[in-house]
Amino acid sequence: MILFPAIDLKDGQCVRLKHGDMATATIYNDDPAAQAKAFEEQGFEWLHVVDLNGAFRGQSVNSAAVGAILKATKSPVQLGGGIRTLEQIEDWLDRGLARVILGTVAVRDPDLVRQACKAFPGKVAVGIDAKGGKVAVEGWAEASSLGVIELARKFEGAGVAAIIYTDIDRDGVLTGINWDATIDLADAVSIPVIASGGLASVADIVRMTMPDAQKLEGAISGRALYDGRIDPAEALAILRGRPAMEPRS
């Protein structure tokens, strides 16, 4: 079970948003590479990076910051935001990414996702961001008519490494992960699922260790880590098998 610390990039800085609204950005670090190194030193196995500007613009915007992160850490990095073509996927993987995350293009052009999975086995994840049970695209600015499970099932057997499922209504506001919807998705597909959006406290970490959540690959944490609501050492110890404490708020 992996806890992925999030580095969301806006204008070259490490920020967190509320409900994906760029106007709500809180700056946590103006040196994303230093933040990545700090997470590595705290013992996290992976880094989850999102180019927020890129998600809205449809092409990479914070590539310099991502490049600095890749140079600063040996941890595997997964990146989403504005990656829309096979050429962009190949370029990022060549630069050292462990995994690319395809979101909008998974809705607009699912065949491209299948082609990417075939060309780069184990290197392609799909990001499914939902509001009210429907998939959102273009940096969450547009709603689609697709349901979460409907979209996920399009990629069964395609070789997708993971699905990153974000409940937009919970993202960045520390209300707890939508465990019911996340586990329903994991039950509906054979692709590993990563929970995202709302992870708030050690209670969510303990929840990750419960039997029905064991099928998940892990969860992403942002604001709770930056605000100190979760102690990295405690969280990682729980996930690595230390006897789980009673959930607390």
Side-chain angles (χ1 to χ4, degrees):
M1 186 70 69
I2 301 169
L3 185 61
F4 297 79
I7 298 178
D8 289 357
L9 300 171
K10 179 178 182 286
D11 304 332
Q13 298 173 311
C14 180
V15 307
R16 293 300 296 167
L17 308 182
K18 292 182 179 179
H19 303 307
D21 183 353
M22 292 286 265
T24 67
T26 300
I27 299 170
Y28 281 99
N29 198 326
D30 60 9
D31 187 343
Q35 185 63 63
K37 187 64 176 176
F39 281 142
E40 180 181 55
E41 290 173 348
Q42 288 168 351
F44 291 100
E45 300 172 42
W46 274 78
L47 297 176
H48 174 78
V49 180
V50 178
D51 182 344
L52 295 171
N53 301 101
F56 283 94
R57 195 172 299 180
Q59 62 184 34
S60 297
V61 174
N62 289 286
S63 56
V66 177
I69 288 170
L70 291 171
K71 289 180 180 178
T73 177
K74 296 178 181 178
S75 300
V77 176
Q78 61 183 21
L79 171 70
I83 302 173
R84 307 281 170 88
T85 68
L86 285 172
E87 291 76 17
Q88 290 169 340
I89 294 167
E90 183 173 19
D91 178 62
W92 275 120
L93 294 175
D94 285 346
R95 291 178 64 177
L97 279 183
R99 196 150 70 185
V100 298
I101 304 165
L102 305 180
T104 294
V105 75
V107 176
R108 306 282 197 227
D109 189 359
D111 283 340
L112 186 144
V113 176
R114 297 184 189 99
Q115 293 171 29
C117 290
K118 185 175 181 179
F120 310 107
K123 302 288 188 178
V124 177
V126 167
I128 299 182
D129 307 320
K131 188 176 181 65
K134 297 296 183 182
V135 178
V137 296
E138 305 293 347
W140 303 354
E142 297 179 20
S144 76
S145 60
L146 277 174
V148 172
I149 291 174
E150 179 186 2
L151 177 60
R153 284 178 170 160
K154 289 177 181 286
F155 303 110
E156 282 281 40
V160 171
I163 290 173
I164 298 159
Y165 171 62
T166 303
D167 185 327
I168 296 171
D169 291 323
R170 296 181 181 234
D171 190 69
V173 293
L174 300 168
T175 55
I177 284 173
N178 186 339
W179 290 109
D180 289 344
T182 303
I183 291 170
D184 284 349
L185 173 60
D187 285 338
V189 296
S190 61
I191 305 165
V193 172
I194 299 170
S196 176
L199 194 147
S201 68
V202 172
D204 279 314
I205 303 298
V206 174
R207 182 67 180 83
M208 291 168 66
T209 70
M210 298 297 103
D212 63 344
Q214 288 299 297
K215 59 177 70 67
L216 301 177
E217 181 173 298
I220 293 166
S221 180
R223 192 177 294 270
L225 282 173
Y226 291 106
D227 287 349
R229 294 169 184 264
I230 292 176
D231 175 74
E234 180 184 12
L236 292 174
I238 291 169
L239 294 177
R240 289 168 183 167
R242 194 182 75 188
M245 66 187 67
E246 287 298 316
R248 68 175 190 235
S249 59

